[in-house]
mmCIF file of all heavy atoms in Angstrom:
data_model
loop_
_atom_site.group_PDB
_atom_site.id
_atom_site.type_symbol
_atom_site.label_atom_id
_atom_site.label_comp_id
_atom_site.label_asym_id
_atom_site.label_seq_id
_atom_site.Cartn_x
_atom_site.Cartn_y
_atom_site.Cartn_z
ATOM 1 N N VAL A 16 34.354 160.177 -123.344
ATOM 2 C CA VAL A 16 35.603 160.874 -123.659
ATOM 3 C C VAL A 16 36.702 159.847 -123.916
ATOM 4 O O VAL A 16 36.978 158.985 -123.073
ATOM 5 C CB VAL A 16 36.008 161.816 -122.509
ATOM 6 C CG1 VAL A 16 37.357 162.459 -122.792
ATOM 7 C CG2 VAL A 16 34.933 162.867 -122.291
ATOM 8 N N SER A 17 37.327 159.925 -125.076
ATOM 9 C CA SER A 17 38.397 158.988 -125.427
ATOM 10 C C SER A 17 39.787 159.521 -125.087
ATOM 11 O O SER A 17 40.709 158.748 -124.827
ATOM 12 C CB SER A 17 38.338 158.665 -126.923
ATOM 13 O OG SER A 17 37.162 157.952 -127.221
ATOM 14 N N ASP A 18 39.957 160.858 -125.112
ATOM 15 C CA ASP A 18 41.258 161.441 -124.803
ATOM 16 C C ASP A 18 41.344 161.633 -123.301
ATOM 17 O O ASP A 18 40.721 162.530 -122.725
ATOM 18 C CB ASP A 18 41.411 162.777 -125.534
ATOM 19 C CG ASP A 18 42.825 163.337 -125.407
ATOM 20 O OD1 ASP A 18 43.601 162.793 -124.576
ATOM 21 O OD2 ASP A 18 43.144 164.311 -126.109
ATOM 22 N N LEU A 19 42.115 160.783 -122.641
ATOM 23 C CA LEU A 19 42.163 160.772 -121.177
ATOM 24 C C LEU A 19 43.405 161.438 -120.606
ATOM 25 O O LEU A 19 43.701 161.288 -119.428
ATOM 26 C CB LEU A 19 42.087 159.319 -120.686
ATOM 27 C CG LEU A 19 40.861 158.524 -121.162
ATOM 28 C CD1 LEU A 19 40.870 157.132 -120.568
ATOM 29 C CD2 LEU A 19 39.571 159.249 -120.821
ATOM 30 N N GLY A 20 44.120 162.178 -121.430
ATOM 31 C CA GLY A 20 45.295 162.886 -120.942
ATOM 32 C C GLY A 20 46.541 162.042 -121.024
ATOM 33 O O GLY A 20 47.477 162.357 -121.747
ATOM 34 N N THR A 21 46.567 160.950 -120.276
ATOM 35 C CA THR A 21 47.738 160.063 -120.324
ATOM 36 C C THR A 21 47.742 159.196 -121.573
ATOM 37 O O THR A 21 48.777 158.674 -121.975
ATOM 38 C CB THR A 21 47.780 159.138 -119.099
ATOM 39 O OG1 THR A 21 46.578 158.345 -119.080
ATOM 40 C CG2 THR A 21 47.886 159.943 -117.817
ATOM 41 N N HIS A 22 46.563 158.994 -122.165
ATOM 42 C CA HIS A 22 46.466 158.168 -123.361
ATOM 43 C C HIS A 22 45.115 158.416 -124.011
ATOM 44 O O HIS A 22 44.203 158.985 -123.404
ATOM 45 C CB HIS A 22 46.613 156.685 -123.018
ATOM 46 C CG HIS A 22 45.500 156.148 -122.169
ATOM 47 N ND1 HIS A 22 45.396 156.406 -120.826
ATOM 48 C CD2 HIS A 22 44.419 155.388 -122.491
ATOM 49 C CE1 HIS A 22 44.318 155.827 -120.338
ATOM 50 N NE2 HIS A 22 43.697 155.202 -121.334
ATOM 51 N N GLU A 23 45.030 157.980 -125.235
ATOM 52 C CA GLU A 23 43.752 158.033 -125.962
ATOM 53 C C GLU A 23 43.249 156.616 -126.178
ATOM 54 O O GLU A 23 44.009 155.719 -126.537
ATOM 55 C CB GLU A 23 43.934 158.725 -127.318
ATOM 56 C CG GLU A 23 42.622 158.895 -128.069
ATOM 57 C CD GLU A 23 42.791 159.656 -129.372
ATOM 58 O OE1 GLU A 23 43.930 160.106 -129.657
ATOM 59 O OE2 GLU A 23 41.794 159.795 -130.103
ATOM 60 N N VAL A 24 41.963 156.412 -125.907
ATOM 61 C CA VAL A 24 41.370 155.083 -126.059
ATOM 62 C C VAL A 24 41.122 154.813 -127.538
ATOM 63 O O VAL A 24 40.324 155.501 -128.185
ATOM 64 C CB VAL A 24 40.048 154.968 -125.279
ATOM 65 C CG1 VAL A 24 39.449 153.571 -125.463
ATOM 66 C CG2 VAL A 24 40.277 155.251 -123.798
ATOM 67 N N THR A 25 41.842 153.853 -128.070
ATOM 68 C CA THR A 25 41.654 153.432 -129.463
ATOM 69 C C THR A 25 41.628 151.912 -129.510
ATOM 70 O O THR A 25 42.045 151.227 -128.572
ATOM 71 C CB THR A 25 42.795 153.933 -130.368
ATOM 72 O OG1 THR A 25 44.036 153.374 -129.900
ATOM 73 C CG2 THR A 25 42.900 155.454 -130.332
ATOM 74 N N ASN A 26 41.138 151.397 -130.609
ATOM 75 C CA ASN A 26 41.157 149.954 -130.859
ATOM 76 C C ASN A 26 40.444 149.171 -129.756
ATOM 77 O O ASN A 26 40.833 148.061 -129.404
ATOM 78 C CB ASN A 26 42.605 149.452 -131.008
ATOM 79 C CG ASN A 26 42.675 148.117 -131.761
ATOM 80 O OD1 ASN A 26 41.797 147.775 -132.543
ATOM 81 N ND2 ASN A 26 43.740 147.362 -131.501
ATOM 82 N N GLN A 27 39.414 149.786 -129.167
ATOM 83 C CA GLN A 27 38.613 149.141 -128.138
ATOM 84 C C GLN A 27 37.147 149.230 -128.547
ATOM 85 O O GLN A 27 36.508 150.268 -128.379
ATOM 86 C CB GLN A 27 38.803 149.832 -126.774
ATOM 87 C CG GLN A 27 40.056 149.442 -126.034
ATOM 88 C CD GLN A 27 39.883 148.112 -125.317
ATOM 89 O OE1 GLN A 27 38.787 147.717 -124.959
ATOM 90 N NE2 GLN A 27 41.001 147.412 -125.116
ATOM 91 N N PRO A 28 36.573 148.187 -129.123
ATOM 92 C CA PRO A 28 35.162 148.252 -129.490
ATOM 93 C C PRO A 28 34.288 148.539 -128.281
ATOM 94 O O PRO A 28 34.519 148.000 -127.187
ATOM 95 C CB PRO A 28 34.874 146.846 -130.051
ATOM 96 C CG PRO A 28 36.212 146.306 -130.441
ATOM 97 C CD PRO A 28 37.190 146.895 -129.472
ATOM 98 N N GLY A 29 33.321 149.410 -128.464
ATOM 99 C CA GLY A 29 32.392 149.701 -127.386
ATOM 100 C C GLY A 29 31.377 148.592 -127.216
ATOM 101 O O GLY A 29 31.465 147.535 -127.863
ATOM 102 N N PRO A 30 30.392 148.791 -126.336
ATOM 103 C CA PRO A 30 29.358 147.761 -126.149
ATOM 104 C C PRO A 30 28.636 147.466 -127.463
ATOM 105 O O PRO A 30 28.473 148.346 -128.314
ATOM 106 C CB PRO A 30 28.407 148.402 -125.129
ATOM 107 C CG PRO A 30 29.221 149.462 -124.452
ATOM 108 C CD PRO A 30 30.179 149.967 -125.475
ATOM 109 N N ARG A 31 28.229 146.242 -127.606
ATOM 110 C CA ARG A 31 27.481 145.870 -128.803
ATOM 111 C C ARG A 31 26.154 146.626 -128.833
ATOM 112 O O ARG A 31 25.424 146.640 -127.837
ATOM 113 C CB ARG A 31 27.235 144.359 -128.798
ATOM 114 C CG ARG A 31 26.711 143.807 -130.105
ATOM 115 C CD ARG A 31 26.906 142.294 -130.155
ATOM 116 N NE ARG A 31 26.190 141.611 -129.090
ATOM 117 C CZ ARG A 31 24.946 141.124 -129.202
ATOM 118 N NH1 ARG A 31 24.290 141.250 -130.347
ATOM 119 N NH2 ARG A 31 24.385 140.502 -128.201
ATOM 120 N N PRO A 32 25.818 147.274 -129.935
ATOM 121 C CA PRO A 32 24.567 148.042 -129.987
ATOM 122 C C PRO A 32 23.358 147.125 -129.773
ATOM 123 O O PRO A 32 23.379 145.939 -130.122
ATOM 124 C CB PRO A 32 24.556 148.620 -131.410
ATOM 125 C CG PRO A 32 25.970 148.543 -131.880
ATOM 126 C CD PRO A 32 26.580 147.361 -131.193
ATOM 127 N N ALA A 33 22.315 147.696 -129.177
ATOM 128 C CA ALA A 33 21.074 146.944 -128.988
ATOM 129 C C ALA A 33 20.481 146.602 -130.349
ATOM 130 O O ALA A 33 20.373 147.456 -131.226
ATOM 131 C CB ALA A 33 20.085 147.757 -128.169
ATOM 132 N N VAL A 34 20.142 145.344 -130.531
ATOM 133 C CA VAL A 34 19.550 144.898 -131.786
ATOM 134 C C VAL A 34 18.322 144.061 -131.477
ATOM 135 O O VAL A 34 18.192 143.483 -130.394
ATOM 136 C CB VAL A 34 20.538 144.069 -132.642
ATOM 137 C CG1 VAL A 34 21.742 144.900 -133.039
ATOM 138 C CG2 VAL A 34 20.983 142.814 -131.898
ATOM 139 N N ASP A 35 17.437 144.007 -132.427
ATOM 140 C CA ASP A 35 16.287 143.124 -132.351
ATOM 141 C C ASP A 35 16.804 141.704 -132.591
ATOM 142 O O ASP A 35 17.243 141.382 -133.700
ATOM 143 C CB ASP A 35 15.271 143.533 -133.425
ATOM 144 C CG ASP A 35 14.055 142.632 -133.482
ATOM 145 O OD1 ASP A 35 14.149 141.458 -133.086
ATOM 146 O OD2 ASP A 35 13.003 143.101 -133.958
ATOM 147 N N PRO A 36 16.805 140.835 -131.591
ATOM 148 C CA PRO A 36 17.462 139.528 -131.739
ATOM 149 C C PRO A 36 16.736 138.589 -132.695
ATOM 150 O O PRO A 36 17.332 137.595 -133.134
ATOM 151 C CB PRO A 36 17.476 138.971 -130.311
ATOM 152 C CG PRO A 36 16.326 139.645 -129.648
ATOM 153 C CD PRO A 36 16.242 141.020 -130.250
ATOM 154 N N TRP A 37 15.503 138.861 -133.011
ATOM 155 C CA TRP A 37 14.791 138.067 -134.008
ATOM 156 C C TRP A 37 15.128 138.564 -135.412
ATOM 157 O O TRP A 37 15.540 137.798 -136.278
ATOM 158 C CB TRP A 37 13.291 138.117 -133.765
ATOM 159 C CG TRP A 37 12.444 137.515 -134.840
ATOM 160 C CD1 TRP A 37 11.683 138.172 -135.764
ATOM 161 C CD2 TRP A 37 12.253 136.120 -135.113
ATOM 162 N NE1 TRP A 37 11.036 137.291 -136.590
ATOM 163 C CE2 TRP A 37 11.360 136.017 -136.212
ATOM 164 C CE3 TRP A 37 12.743 134.942 -134.548
ATOM 165 C CZ2 TRP A 37 10.954 134.793 -136.745
ATOM 166 C CZ3 TRP A 37 12.332 133.720 -135.081
ATOM 167 C CH2 TRP A 37 11.457 133.655 -136.158
ATOM 168 N N ALA A 38 15.008 139.873 -135.608
ATOM 169 C CA ALA A 38 15.275 140.448 -136.931
ATOM 170 C C ALA A 38 16.735 140.271 -137.335
ATOM 171 O O ALA A 38 17.042 140.139 -138.522
ATOM 172 C CB ALA A 38 14.895 141.926 -136.945
ATOM 173 N N ALA A 39 17.653 140.278 -136.360
ATOM 174 C CA ALA A 39 19.084 140.225 -136.655
ATOM 175 C C ALA A 39 19.632 138.804 -136.721
ATOM 176 O O ALA A 39 20.840 138.620 -136.836
ATOM 177 C CB ALA A 39 19.855 141.021 -135.590
ATOM 178 N N ASP A 40 18.775 137.802 -136.665
ATOM 179 C CA ASP A 40 19.235 136.418 -136.634
ATOM 180 C C ASP A 40 18.538 135.616 -137.735
ATOM 181 O O ASP A 40 17.585 134.870 -137.494
ATOM 182 C CB ASP A 40 18.934 135.796 -135.265
ATOM 183 C CG ASP A 40 19.666 134.479 -135.032
ATOM 184 O OD1 ASP A 40 20.081 133.855 -136.022
ATOM 185 O OD2 ASP A 40 19.806 134.079 -133.859
ATOM 186 N N PRO A 41 19.001 135.752 -138.979
ATOM 187 C CA PRO A 41 18.339 135.030 -140.074
ATOM 188 C C PRO A 41 18.441 133.515 -139.945
ATOM 189 O O PRO A 41 17.593 132.795 -140.466
ATOM 190 C CB PRO A 41 19.075 135.528 -141.323
ATOM 191 C CG PRO A 41 20.387 136.054 -140.830
ATOM 192 C CD PRO A 41 20.115 136.590 -139.458
ATOM 193 N N VAL A 42 19.461 133.021 -139.268
ATOM 194 C CA VAL A 42 19.586 131.577 -139.089
ATOM 195 C C VAL A 42 18.467 131.068 -138.179
ATOM 196 O O VAL A 42 17.840 130.033 -138.448
ATOM 197 C CB VAL A 42 20.974 131.222 -138.528
ATOM 198 C CG1 VAL A 42 21.093 129.724 -138.283
ATOM 199 C CG2 VAL A 42 22.068 131.685 -139.490
ATOM 200 N N LEU A 43 18.191 131.790 -137.094
ATOM 201 C CA LEU A 43 17.065 131.437 -136.239
ATOM 202 C C LEU A 43 15.761 131.481 -137.027
ATOM 203 O O LEU A 43 14.937 130.563 -136.940
ATOM 204 C CB LEU A 43 16.984 132.386 -135.044
ATOM 205 C CG LEU A 43 15.703 132.284 -134.200
ATOM 206 C CD1 LEU A 43 15.559 130.901 -133.574
ATOM 207 C CD2 LEU A 43 15.672 133.366 -133.130
ATOM 208 N N ARG A 44 15.569 132.540 -137.786
ATOM 209 C CA ARG A 44 14.319 132.662 -138.540
ATOM 210 C C ARG A 44 14.151 131.493 -139.516
ATOM 211 O O ARG A 44 13.056 130.958 -139.677
ATOM 212 C CB ARG A 44 14.268 134.003 -139.283
ATOM 213 C CG ARG A 44 14.269 135.215 -138.350
ATOM 214 C CD ARG A 44 13.739 136.463 -139.054
ATOM 215 N NE ARG A 44 14.418 136.743 -140.298
ATOM 216 C CZ ARG A 44 15.548 137.438 -140.429
ATOM 217 N NH1 ARG A 44 16.154 137.908 -139.343
ATOM 218 N NH2 ARG A 44 16.092 137.659 -141.617
ATOM 219 N N ALA A 45 15.241 131.073 -140.136
ATOM 220 C CA ALA A 45 15.158 129.973 -141.100
ATOM 221 C C ALA A 45 14.803 128.658 -140.410
ATOM 222 O O ALA A 45 13.938 127.904 -140.875
ATOM 223 C CB ALA A 45 16.479 129.843 -141.850
ATOM 224 N N HIS A 46 15.466 128.362 -139.304
ATOM 225 C CA HIS A 46 15.201 127.096 -138.624
ATOM 226 C C HIS A 46 13.829 127.119 -137.938
ATOM 227 O O HIS A 46 13.153 126.078 -137.868
ATOM 228 C CB HIS A 46 16.304 126.772 -137.632
ATOM 229 C CG HIS A 46 17.578 126.329 -138.288
ATOM 230 N ND1 HIS A 46 17.674 125.165 -139.009
ATOM 231 C CD2 HIS A 46 18.814 126.919 -138.360
ATOM 232 C CE1 HIS A 46 18.911 125.029 -139.481
ATOM 233 N NE2 HIS A 46 19.613 126.079 -139.094
ATOM 234 N N ALA A 47 13.418 128.277 -137.439
ATOM 235 C CA ALA A 47 12.073 128.371 -136.858
ATOM 236 C C ALA A 47 11.014 128.146 -137.929
ATOM 237 O O ALA A 47 10.015 127.442 -137.708
ATOM 238 C CB ALA A 47 11.880 129.730 -136.186
ATOM 239 N N ALA A 48 11.226 128.718 -139.102
ATOM 240 C CA ALA A 48 10.268 128.530 -140.196
ATOM 241 C C ALA A 48 10.221 127.062 -140.616
ATOM 242 O O ALA A 48 9.139 126.503 -140.858
ATOM 243 C CB ALA A 48 10.641 129.418 -141.376
ATOM 244 N N ALA A 49 11.384 126.418 -140.699
ATOM 245 C CA ALA A 49 11.418 125.002 -141.085
ATOM 246 C C ALA A 49 10.677 124.134 -140.073
ATOM 247 O O ALA A 49 10.114 123.093 -140.433
ATOM 248 C CB ALA A 49 12.867 124.536 -141.213
ATOM 249 N N ALA A 50 10.667 124.561 -138.804
ATOM 250 C CA ALA A 50 9.991 123.808 -137.752
ATOM 251 C C ALA A 50 8.520 124.171 -137.609
ATOM 252 O O ALA A 50 7.816 123.568 -136.788
ATOM 253 C CB ALA A 50 10.700 124.032 -136.418
ATOM 254 N N GLY A 51 8.061 125.156 -138.366
ATOM 255 C CA GLY A 51 6.664 125.577 -138.272
ATOM 256 C C GLY A 51 6.416 126.650 -137.245
ATOM 257 O O GLY A 51 5.269 126.872 -136.841
ATOM 258 N N GLY A 52 7.462 127.357 -136.815
ATOM 259 C CA GLY A 52 7.288 128.448 -135.864
ATOM 260 C C GLY A 52 6.499 129.603 -136.465
ATOM 261 O O GLY A 52 6.530 129.828 -137.674
ATOM 262 N N GLU A 53 5.819 130.329 -135.596
ATOM 263 C CA GLU A 53 4.959 131.435 -136.030
ATOM 264 C C GLU A 53 5.747 132.744 -136.012
ATOM 265 O O GLU A 53 6.259 133.148 -134.978
ATOM 266 C CB GLU A 53 3.752 131.544 -135.103
ATOM 267 C CG GLU A 53 2.960 130.250 -134.984
ATOM 268 C CD GLU A 53 2.313 130.109 -133.626
ATOM 269 O OE1 GLU A 53 3.017 129.740 -132.667
ATOM 270 O OE2 GLU A 53 1.096 130.371 -133.530
ATOM 271 N N ASP A 54 5.782 133.419 -137.133
ATOM 272 C CA ASP A 54 6.605 134.615 -137.259
ATOM 273 C C ASP A 54 6.094 135.763 -136.393
ATOM 274 O O ASP A 54 6.885 136.456 -135.744
ATOM 275 C CB ASP A 54 6.654 135.050 -138.729
ATOM 276 C CG ASP A 54 7.574 136.239 -138.945
ATOM 277 O OD1 ASP A 54 8.784 136.035 -139.047
ATOM 278 O OD2 ASP A 54 7.060 137.382 -138.976
ATOM 279 N N ALA A 55 4.793 136.005 -136.365
ATOM 280 C CA ALA A 55 4.260 137.216 -135.727
ATOM 281 C C ALA A 55 4.604 137.316 -134.240
ATOM 282 O O ALA A 55 5.120 138.350 -133.798
ATOM 283 C CB ALA A 55 2.747 137.302 -135.946
ATOM 284 N N PRO A 56 4.337 136.299 -133.412
ATOM 285 C CA PRO A 56 4.687 136.449 -131.993
ATOM 286 C C PRO A 56 6.183 136.542 -131.752
ATOM 287 O O PRO A 56 6.615 137.227 -130.809
ATOM 288 C CB PRO A 56 4.088 135.199 -131.343
ATOM 289 C CG PRO A 56 3.866 134.235 -132.450
ATOM 290 C CD PRO A 56 3.617 135.043 -133.668
ATOM 291 N N LEU A 57 6.986 135.891 -132.598
ATOM 292 C CA LEU A 57 8.437 135.970 -132.420
ATOM 293 C C LEU A 57 8.956 137.348 -132.822
ATOM 294 O O LEU A 57 9.828 137.915 -132.144
ATOM 295 C CB LEU A 57 9.111 134.871 -133.234
ATOM 296 C CG LEU A 57 8.837 133.461 -132.705
ATOM 297 C CD1 LEU A 57 9.242 132.410 -133.724
ATOM 298 C CD2 LEU A 57 9.566 133.234 -131.389
ATOM 299 N N ALA A 58 8.436 137.903 -133.898
ATOM 300 C CA ALA A 58 8.823 139.259 -134.293
ATOM 301 C C ALA A 58 8.410 140.259 -133.226
ATOM 302 O O ALA A 58 9.156 141.208 -132.910
ATOM 303 C CB ALA A 58 8.188 139.611 -135.638
ATOM 304 N N ALA A 59 7.232 140.066 -132.638
ATOM 305 C CA ALA A 59 6.769 140.977 -131.590
ATOM 306 C C ALA A 59 7.676 140.899 -130.367
ATOM 307 O O ALA A 59 8.014 141.923 -129.760
ATOM 308 C CB ALA A 59 5.327 140.642 -131.210
ATOM 309 N N LEU A 60 8.095 139.690 -129.979
ATOM 310 C CA LEU A 60 8.995 139.555 -128.830
ATOM 311 C C LEU A 60 10.336 140.208 -129.125
ATOM 312 O O LEU A 60 10.900 140.899 -128.257
ATOM 313 C CB LEU A 60 9.181 138.085 -128.480
ATOM 314 C CG LEU A 60 10.175 137.796 -127.342
ATOM 315 C CD1 LEU A 60 9.784 138.518 -126.064
ATOM 316 C CD2 LEU A 60 10.294 136.289 -127.106
ATOM 317 N N GLY A 61 10.865 140.005 -130.328
ATOM 318 C CA GLY A 61 12.131 140.655 -130.678
ATOM 319 C C GLY A 61 12.051 142.165 -130.541
ATOM 320 O O GLY A 61 12.960 142.803 -129.997
#
């Protein structure tokens, strides 16, 4: 509930949504690939 009677909650970002940290991090994927990292186990962990 944002309308709290005395005030309304605005301009306050909520918690960051849950994301797959492997899929959402192309920089990690690029550097892991350059180092010879294996995509499948990392994608599974994400």
